[in-house]
Amino acid sequence: EQFQIKEILNQNTYLVGGELKTWRGQTSDIYSTISSTEAYQPTYLGTIPTLGKKEAISALDAAVEAYDKGQGLWPTMKVVDRIACMEKFVEQMKTKRDEVVKLLMWEIGKNLPDSQKEFDRTVEYIYDTIEDYKDMDRNSAKFQKHDGVHAHIRRGPLGVVLCLGPYNYPLNETFALLIPAIIMGNTTIFKPAKFGVLLLSPLIEAFQNSFPKGVVNIIYGRGRTVAAPIMQTGKVDVLALIGNSKSANALQNQHPKSNRLRLVLGLEAKNPAIVLPDADLDLAISECIAGTTSFNGQRCTALKVLYVHEAIIEEFNKRFSEKVDTLKFGNPWEDGAKLTPLPEPDKPSYIQELIDDATAKGALVINKKGGKTTENYIFPAVLYPVSKDMRVFQEEQFGPVIPVVPFSDIEEPLNDMAESNYGQQVSLFGKDVKTLAPLIDTLVNLVCRVNLNSSCQRGPDVYPFTGRKDSAVATLSVHDALRSFSIRTFVASKDN
Ligand code: G3H
């Protein structure tokens, strides 16, 4: 009962230049694929403004004016005062936990424990960012002297940041971009993703109350209508986006100096697990379950292909697929619901296409419940044996389908990883240190994080989050993001 949506959110305001503007134009209705009844029906959640180019440009103008070529109140503000604004924001944000958690469940179908975790983790991220920023300031304030040249090195802002977040972590990943960009003295325009758009509304006033006008501007609408015209002006200094390469490339290319634009991007990944013959199978199976099925596989950090050694494949497949079938499907607030409805209406049919393609080319769905659909869900299908010619091997599925690839020689997964367009993380399961040590040395040069006997994940958020090749540009983490959204500047003087 406490999680039901009782009041419809008519969010007809957006934030520009410190003012909550009331929108009287076209709006979009937001529906949830989650149903509070057993019979599936899309649930109307609320309405958001569908802004046009004019409103988008007004948000950009507000950010440009607030930055004022680096002379504005915000980029020149003392560190201690900027921190006070951020502390005010996070204190106000904390009062909105219940509303935001409820919207996370309704809008994107994230289960209750994960929705709570996303909120709490984001609050922690903000506090950690404040502490790291203080450290950065303390350390950089030191004077240095080399060869008779004194230097006072600091980190300064880059300018105007256009920030776009993803639907799977509409709070945490969005704030992982926005918060460091703001605290470093940049000014920002933020456009949320299509799903997870309403959950910003309980926080919009906290942004308005906490930061000087124009520092944070929040707009809604279609990317090509609002984000593209902003990029075309050439006034954006940093494009910060977590999502897909297609959107990132399209926006980057709108910028007249696209090759000079600074990018902070978190993009696709196809993280593999490699299960060696001596792996602890209980551990490997439970970690692979978490890695492939948590939030229905809709994580850039999800395990998206499992390489299992031939010597143990039979036992692995049997136990793994049986365990997948024990996962409970339900509404996000239901006790123990691990699998939840999918927010993207076309996702079940896309996953079905991948299954059909793989089975037509010789793979089998090896778990009993695999591929069973309801209108807004498809049960995770474990596919075996998967080969390179199958779409599920090539594409980032971002949903509930689990390809299992047998291997006899470790060179097989290593070669695939070297040829892949992606390079975020890998999970390696095995016991023998003599085998693992050289393998780890190889793997760290193919991806950016090797998870030993554990599934891939982004957190804890203090650790570097990045990727090689098409998986990322720049590095996030509490510490790294402050650096990604700033530049080193210094004042030098000579001994006379
Ligand atoms: O989609 C990518 C997210 O950053 C995943 O974060 O691994 O902590 O769930 P996570």
Side-chain angles (χ1 to χ4, degrees):
E1 174 62 15
Q2 60 171 312
F3 298 123
Q4 300 309 308
I5 291 277
K6 291 196 196 101
E7 285 162 31
I8 287 164
L9 285 150
N10 282 312
Q11 171 59 42
N12 64 345
T13 53
Y14 59 104
L15 182 64
V16 167
E19 274 181 54
L20 280 177
K21 306 261 189 194
T22 304
W23 174 242
R24 304 205 190 283
Q26 212 188 343
T27 57
S28 301
D29 291 338
I30 306 293
Y31 288 87
S32 170
T33 58
I34 317 300
S35 175
S36 58
T37 62
E38 281 187 17
Y40 165 73
Q41 55 185 32
T43 308
Y44 175 66
L45 297 180
T47 298
I48 52 150
T50 312
L51 302 179
K53 179 177 171 181
K54 190 166 150 245
E55 295 72 35
I57 297 296
S58 71
L60 170 74
D61 288 345
V64 170
E65 193 181 327
Y67 192 68
D68 192 15
K69 302 185 178 75
Q71 308 307 302
L73 173 67
W74 188 247
T76 58
M77 191 180 269
K78 280 191 191 140
V79 167
V80 61
D81 295 329
R82 259 196 235 145
I83 287 173
C85 293
M86 192 57 84
E87 282 171 344
K88 183 172 176 186
F89 173 76
V90 70
E91 288 307 313
Q92 292 189 17
M93 175 181 167
K94 283 188 326 199
T95 66
K96 304 290 180 185
R97 184 178 190 262
D98 291 351
E99 280 169 80
V100 174
V101 165
K102 191 156 87 170
L103 283 163
L104 270 164
M105 292 191 286
W106 277 93
E107 283 197 86
I108 63 160
K110 190 167 280 192
N111 68 23
L112 178 62
D114 288 349
S115 294
Q116 289 170 328
K117 189 173 156 200
E118 177 161 354
F119 189 93
D120 297 340
R121 165 183 182 182
T122 308
V123 167
E124 195 182 325
Y125 186 95
I126 300 175
Y127 282 122
D128 287 348
T129 299
I130 291 171
E131 286 313 307
D132 212 281
Y133 183 49
K134 285 180 188 165
D135 274 355
M136 174 195 270
D137 186 57
R138 264 193 300 270
N139 296 332
S140 65
K142 282 180 201 147
F143 287 86
Q144 301 184 15
K145 184 184 169 193
H146 296 283
D147 298 335
V149 180
H150 301 257
H152 180 204
I153 302 176
R154 282 182 289 196
R155 277 207 164 254
L158 294 165
V160 173
V161 181
L162 176 63
C163 179
L164 297 101
Y167 84 82
N168 63 338
Y169 281 82
L171 190 69
N172 179 264
E173 290 208 323
T174 295
F175 280 32
L177 300 173
L178 203 50
I179 297 299
I182 296 169
I183 208 165
M184 287 310 307
N186 302 286
T187 61
T188 59
I189 309 123
F190 165 56
K191 186 190 102 60
K194 187 171 167 196
F195 305 103
V197 60
L198 286 174
L199 61 88
L200 255 295
S201 57
L203 303 175
I204 202 163
E205 284 182 14
F207 279 116
Q208 185 196 21
N209 296 337
S210 309
F211 299 104
K213 64 177 188 178
V215 173
V216 185
N217 302 279
I218 299 179
I219 57 170
Y220 305 96
R222 298 169 72 95
R224 78 173 82 103
T225 318
V226 294
I230 289 176
M231 293 301 290
Q232 284 157 9
T233 64
K235 293 180 182 171
V236 168
D237 300 292
V238 185
L239 173 64
L241 178 148
I242 295 184
N244 62 61
S245 318
K246 202 172 152 207
S247 313
N249 294 343
L251 285 176
Q252 182 184 358
N253 291 335
Q254 298 291 325
H255 196 286
K257 289 189 182 167
S258 57
N259 55 348
R260 293 279 174 273
L261 179 70
R262 279 179 187 261
L263 301 170
V264 180
L265 306 176
L267 304 170
E268 295 91 344
K270 187 87 182 172
N271 294 338
I274 301 175
V275 187
L276 299 172
D278 69 336
D280 173 338
L281 265 198
D282 285 336
L283 179 66
I285 287 169
S286 69
E287 288 294 312
C288 287
I289 295 272
T292 51
T293 64
S294 155
F295 194 38
N296 309 299
Q298 302 166 111
R299 297 158 61 230
C300 61
T301 51
L303 285 174
K304 299 201 178 94
V305 54
L306 308 180
Y307 288 93
V308 183
H309 194 274
E310 280 177 353
I312 49 163
I313 189 93
E314 214 170 301
E315 195 183 349
F316 179 92
N317 279 347
K318 182 174 180 301
R319 286 165 58 186
F320 180 76
S321 54
E322 279 172 5
K323 198 156 179 185
V324 169
D325 281 350
T326 64
L327 298 175
K328 180 178 166 188
F329 171 75
N331 279 326
W333 47 84
E334 283 172 27
D335 259 359
K338 293 279 186 214
L339 310 171
T340 47
L342 302 167
E344 293 176 291
D346 50 359
K347 189 55 78 73
S349 57
Y350 168 66
I351 296 294
Q352 189 60 55
E353 274 178 33
L354 296 183
I355 297 170
D356 292 345
D357 173 76
T359 50
K361 291 171 182 161
L364 294 172
V365 176
I366 60 169
N367 56 325
K368 289 201 180 95
K369 293 191 189 172
K372 296 222 167 25
T373 47
T374 63
E375 277 140 303
N376 56 359
Y377 196 67
I378 181 159
F379 199 89
V382 185
L383 285 168
Y384 176 81
V386 164
S387 50
K388 284 188 197 182
D389 57 329
M390 298 175 188
R391 284 179 59 192
V392 74
F393 183 90
Q394 301 292 343
E395 296 174 28
E396 189 204 29
Q397 64 266 43
F398 219 77
V401 58
I402 308 168
V404 182
V405 181
F407 74 93
S408 54
D409 183 338
I410 189 65
E411 290 305 318
E412 296 163 34
L414 293 182
N415 286 339
D416 288 349
M417 287 174 70
E419 281 169 19
S420 165
N421 293 331
Y422 307 118
Q424 191 200 68
Q425 305 188 24
V426 65
S427 289
L428 179 63
F429 296 93
K431 284 197 201 113
D432 177 32
V433 178
K434 281 201 197 107
T435 313
L436 294 176
L439 205 43
I440 291 168
D441 288 344
T442 305
L443 289 169
V444 287
N445 288 344
L446 292 171
V447 293
C448 290
R449 174 167 168 163
V450 178
N451 299 279
L452 201 49
N453 293 311
S454 55
S455 69
C456 295
Q457 61 177 48
R458 174 178 163 218
D461 294 339
V462 290
Y463 289 140
F465 179 52
T466 185
R468 296 172 186 273
K469 299 187 259 185
D470 291 346
S471 284
V473 177
T475 303
L476 295 176
S477 89
V478 168
H479 184 78
D480 295 290
L482 292 175
R483 280 126 188 110
S484 296
F485 285 104
S486 62
I487 190 164
R488 294 182 95 194
T489 65
F490 71 105
V491 180
S493 58
K494 276 187 184 168
D495 277 340
N496 290 317

